[in-house]
Amino acid sequence: GGFVLQPSSTTLAEILQRRGWETAAFIGASILKKGFGLNQGFAVYDDEMPKSAGSGLAGEYPERRAGVVVDRAVSWLGKQSGKPFFLWVHLYDPHSPYDPPSPFREKYGARSYDGEVAYSDQQVGRLLEAVQRKSPSGNTLIVALSDHGESLSEHGEYSHGVFLYDSTLRIAFMMSGPGVPKGLRVKQQVRTID
């Protein structure tokens, strides 16, 4: 929340928009609201958050459930004319406080973090089905990237952002689509900027 992308920076969304692509982003938490500059190049930047009903604790941000974010992204996809598109969907659910919706709350019980991950996974599946209906897989690059892991009390850290252990640094980064070798697993260290 302390950094803002400068307007002098060029984003992928700007490059693609200049080349005639439709661009849209659907954001799950206030930490990526327009004021941080990440909306550059997006014709649609949907970052409308509900009013915070949280406790006001540090690190707690207004957010939308993955289902709401995916609903809006799927609706946007359904209105696309067939031009190439760049769609960024940001889900925030597996962040504290952990409160998965039903039936994930009941299924995972005290493992509420796992419930939020499972719920988000289900919503990603819905999104991928909608993308597949709109654009054949041979024409579509899918990239899934997490921002960090959670320590979940390993090394005395209950969340993330204090220590530099694998539990917070090792993240999911998956790609699928044209030009991506099937089944390739990169074993050397890479960074999100790569």
Side-chain angles (χ1 to χ4, degrees), residues 174-187:
M174 299 173 284
M175 298 175 69
S176 174
V180 178
K182 193 171 189 171
L184 174 67
R185 182 179 176 124
V186 177
K187 294 187 180 180

